[in-house]
Amino acid sequence: MSKKVFYKSLDYLIIFALSLWPTLHFISFNIGDNFIHSRVIYFGIFCGFLFCLKYFFLTYLFKKKDLILSVLISFIFSFFLFGSIEKFVIDTRGYIEHSAKISLSIQFFLFLILSFVLFKITQSNKKNHLLLIFTIFLLIVPIGKIILLYPKSNNVRNLQESFYDNTNFKNNNNLYYIILDEYAREDILKEVFGIDNTNFIKTLQEMGFNYFPNSYSNYDVTQYSISTTLNMDFHKNNLIWDTDVSVNDSKTLKILKKNGYKNIFIESGGVSFITCNGLEDYCIKGGTIRDDLAILIQMTPLWRLMRSSTFHRYFEALYILTDLKQSMEQTLEIMKNDKSKFFVFAHILSPHDPQRYNSDCSKYFSINPSLGKGTKAQYINDLPCLNRDVISSVKSLIKNDKSDPIIIISSDHGISGSMVGSDDEIIRLKNLMLIKNPTKCNKYLSKRISPINLMSFSISCLQDKKIPFVEDKHYIWNVNPKGLIEVSSKVEKERQENDF
């Protein structure tokens, strides 16, 4: 009897396990890219229950278990292979036009062939054994990769709470922390892209910004970089992104809130993981779909349907990129109605891909606006338009914010060496950094300030009392084997050679 029950439930077990394959396959390819969230696992489990439910109702209605089982398994497998098929089509043909239609045709034929093969298997006496082997074969490869590539976590360093608990602000300046993702240092822009960024830097200097031409980020990974800045220490030693700890429940924000500040959180938009989580006082929203779910959806035809000329307007709110100029206008509007002191956090996903602007700086519409591999052409196109928006936004802030604000314009890291064909292993650490602050706070600045000490400087300025800076360290993320490598000595050597 127990054997009968087992074989009756085996179909459901196989369907549920195969429904997890797309999620496991996705995680196995992206486990080292720092943005896998638990909701991806929930998505896989949801798919498992959904397809099991479909199987139950279809077999109840049509009584053809073997045929339905074959078709359902074939659908799961072929449906989530669309992204790989389209990538192959685009790579083979060299252009995107009609790639979706061709990919759908290939996907349909794959579905028919697989349905036929699986139906033949279900007619075999060894049906259960063969289906189990098929299922195990599909799952064992991604599970094995996940186990091998899972990022190793070190102990998280505890910050010294008592040192910061005694802060007592004497000044009420608003604080803006504006991150321009992947914005490279001026000399790198000149060397790699042939871009002369002098006018942009000069314009900001004329507005009162201090410029740091020999700056280096502490990490070349967004999660580490932003988290370290806002927690004022090298406290984060794993790749799990947690907005609560890294931003909205950070050490910086605890200190600011203790001194009466509210925070405005500006989402990145696009398909970014930097989103509001309810702990902020005000949220300026961008797109609401995350990297992980967006790229998972791109494994299916649904993404291209969502991005088609017919339907894209209905889904635009899911992945619209946050516009710096518009979000600063919204920020000033909030401040007009609420006279509190504010900390404004804005992570702008530019000049990082995806492309944001047309050549005339109007909004660029992308068929596939996900995070992917940036190109030199996209970077060169977007940078002047971003510069224009930054200058316009800063002018508006200075004109309308009467608190003599601290404005930090920085990038979390510089450009990727792979994008520009550079073998300089620390090129991605060479970031943009400009700071505008009340003149009396210049005494707390250091020409070698790095992101880890940006908030220590800001709090020193607000309380008019020096907080000791943390000693600079610099790390790069190594792909093979996966892990952080300290390159502080190499950075220090370059600093000494290139100090301006």
Side-chain angles (χ1 to χ4, degrees):
M1 183 70 179
S2 59
K3 197 173 181 181
K4 271 189 172 182
V5 172
F6 172 75
Y7 282 121
K8 275 188 175 181
S9 60
L10 187 61
D11 289 354
Y12 290 97
L13 182 64
I14 288 170
I15 289 170
F16 187 83
L18 286 174
S19 300
L20 291 176
W21 171 78
T23 299
L24 293 171
H25 178 70
F26 166 78
I27 293 173
S28 72
F29 275 92
N30 297 285
I31 190 70
D33 290 338
N34 318 327
F35 56 76
I36 305 299
H37 190 275
S38 57
R39 72 186 69 193
V40 171
I41 308 296
Y42 301 149
F43 176 83
I45 294 170
F46 170 78
C47 286
F49 282 115
L50 179 66
F51 285 117
C52 284
L53 198 62
K54 280 186 177 181
Y55 181 67
F56 172 79
F57 281 112
L58 289 172
T59 52
Y60 178 79
L61 292 172
F62 298 107
K63 312 297 183 185
K64 295 184 178 181
K65 290 183 67 175
D66 290 346
L67 179 61
I68 292 167
L69 181 64
S70 306
V71 169
L72 201 56
I73 292 173
S74 302
F75 175 80
I76 294 168
F77 190 69
S78 57
F79 184 71
F80 283 95
L81 274 180
F82 175 83
S84 298
I85 294 169
E86 187 180 34
K87 184 178 185 305
F88 171 77
V89 170
I90 293 171
D91 289 346
T92 303
R93 298 169 75 231
Y95 53 93
I96 199 170
E97 189 178 5
H98 302 307
S99 62
K101 294 175 184 175
I102 296 169
S103 302
L104 281 171
S105 301
I106 295 172
Q107 185 183 38
F108 180 68
F109 281 114
L110 176 66
F111 166 73
L112 292 178
I113 293 167
L114 195 57
S115 296
F116 176 77
V117 172
L118 287 174
F119 181 69
K120 288 295 184 184
I121 290 174
T122 59
Q123 304 306 296
S124 166
N125 293 330
K126 297 182 178 180
K127 161 194 165 182
N128 293 321
H129 294 90
L130 291 171
L131 286 177
L132 273 174
I133 291 169
F134 177 72
T135 304
I136 292 168
F137 175 76
L138 278 181
L139 297 184
I140 199 167
V141 176
I143 289 173
K145 282 182 69 177
I146 291 168
I147 292 170
L148 287 172
L149 300 177
Y150 190 81
K152 303 295 187 294
S153 298
N154 302 318
N155 292 327
V156 176
R157 178 174 174 179
N158 292 318
L159 299 173
Q160 294 180 358
E161 298 283 334
S162 59
F163 182 82
Y164 296 104
D165 285 343
N166 297 321
T167 56
N168 186 19
F169 290 0
K170 295 181 180 178
N171 302 312
N172 295 319
N173 315 80
N174 289 325
L175 171 58
Y176 298 81
Y177 180 31
I178 300 170
I179 304 157
L180 306 177
D181 202 301
E182 206 175 35
Y183 201 121
R185 216 167 59 185
E186 183 183 15
D187 56 324
I188 300 301
L189 292 175
K190 184 72 174 177
E191 176 188 330
V192 174
F193 298 109
I195 295 174
D196 184 353
N197 214 30
T198 307
N199 286 338
F200 173 69
I201 300 298
K202 186 179 178 182
T203 301
L204 289 173
Q205 285 179 307
E206 289 171 352
M207 294 182 190
F209 279 83
N210 296 291
Y211 173 51
F212 303 85
N214 198 21
S215 59
Y216 292 84
S217 61
N218 302 103
Y219 294 99
D220 62 352
V221 180
T222 299
Q223 289 92 318
Y224 284 139
S225 187
I226 295 176
S227 176
T228 295
T229 298
L230 293 175
N231 285 282
M232 300 181 281
D233 207 341
F234 298 97
H235 84 295
K236 184 176 172 59
N237 294 312
N238 61 64
L239 281 172
I240 299 169
W241 174 262
D242 186 340
T243 306
D244 293 7
V245 174
S246 302
V247 183
N248 284 332
D249 198 29
S250 65
K251 190 62 189 174
T252 293
L253 204 53
K254 285 179 180 177
I255 294 169
L256 290 168
K257 282 186 172 294
K258 175 181 174 289
N259 285 275
Y261 277 70
K262 291 184 178 179
N263 72 315
I264 300 173
F265 188 101
I266 299 171
E267 294 186 337
S268 306
V271 288
S272 176
F273 45 75
I274 300 179
T275 56
C276 296
N277 63 352
L279 294 177
E280 61 286 322
D281 295 293
Y282 293 94
C283 172
I284 296 177
K285 294 192 71 63
T288 55
I289 192 167
R290 293 168 51 105
D291 284 348
D292 43 17
L293 289 181
I295 298 175
L296 190 57
I297 293 170
Q298 283 174 47
M299 294 170 68
T300 76
L302 293 177
W303 186 260
R304 288 304 303 274
L305 188 67
M306 289 164 62
R307 294 305 292 165
S308 67
S309 57
T310 305
F311 295 104
H312 82 270
R313 62 184 179 273
Y314 302 113
F315 297 98
E316 188 69 16
L318 292 176
Y319 37 70
I320 190 168
L321 293 168
T322 302
D323 178 75
L324 176 63
K325 188 175 178 181
Q326 184 180 10
S327 61
M328 288 300 113
E329 288 172 357
Q330 289 178 258
T331 296
L332 290 170
E333 190 63 30
I334 290 170
M335 291 178 174
K336 189 186 294 183
N337 298 314
D338 186 337
K339 301 304 180 183
S340 304
K341 301 171 288 186
F342 281 99
F343 169 62
V344 181
F345 172 89
H347 176 259
I348 305 300
L349 199 62
S350 190
H352 194 293
D353 64 282
Q355 186 170 336
R356 180 186 292 267
Y357 302 97
N358 290 308
S359 56
D360 63 354
C361 294
S362 59
K363 182 181 177 182
Y364 174 76
F365 173 77
S366 172
I367 290 176
N368 187 16
S370 67
L371 292 175
K373 291 185 177 178
T375 65
K376 290 177 73 171
Q378 169 259 318
Y379 198 100
I380 292 169
N381 177 81
D382 279 7
L383 194 74
C385 303
L386 175 64
N387 286 352
R388 183 198 65 175
D389 284 353
V390 169
I391 290 169
S392 175
S393 299
V394 169
K395 282 181 178 177
S396 182
L397 291 180
I398 293 172
K399 178 181 177 182
N400 294 286
D401 188 334
K402 304 303 182 184
S403 72
D404 193 10
I406 302 168
I407 305 174
I408 298 168
I409 298 175
S410 176
S411 53
D412 47 356
H413 54 74
I415 56 169
S416 167
S418 60
M419 180 176 77
V420 296
S422 172
D423 58 2
D424 179 0
E425 71 171 349
I426 63 172
I427 190 172
R428 195 169 163 88
L429 294 175
K430 299 172 183 178
N431 71 321
L432 173 76
M433 192 180 298
L434 297 116
I435 303 173
K436 184 184 185 304
N437 53 267
T439 307
K440 63 183 177 183
C441 295
N442 283 337
K443 59 188 174 185
Y444 301 122
L445 267 179
S446 163
K447 71 173 184 177
R448 284 193 172 194
I449 192 170
S450 67
I452 194 171
N453 289 310
L454 287 174
M455 294 302 135
S456 295
F457 159 73
S458 302
I459 291 167
S460 296
C461 177
L462 291 171
Q463 69 175 7
D464 200 17
K465 180 182 177 183
K466 174 72 173 176
I467 291 179
F469 283 5
V470 175
E471 181 185 355
D472 279 341
K473 293 180 183 177
H474 305 273
Y475 299 88
I476 58 173
W477 176 248
N478 192 44
V479 175
N480 191 21
K482 290 185 180 293
L484 289 170
I485 298 175
E486 185 172 356
V487 290
S488 302
S489 58
K490 188 165 186 176
V491 169
E492 181 58 28
K493 184 180 178 183
E494 278 200 13
R495 275 190 186 280
Q496 292 175 3
E497 291 172 355
N498 301 321
D499 259 337
F500 297 92

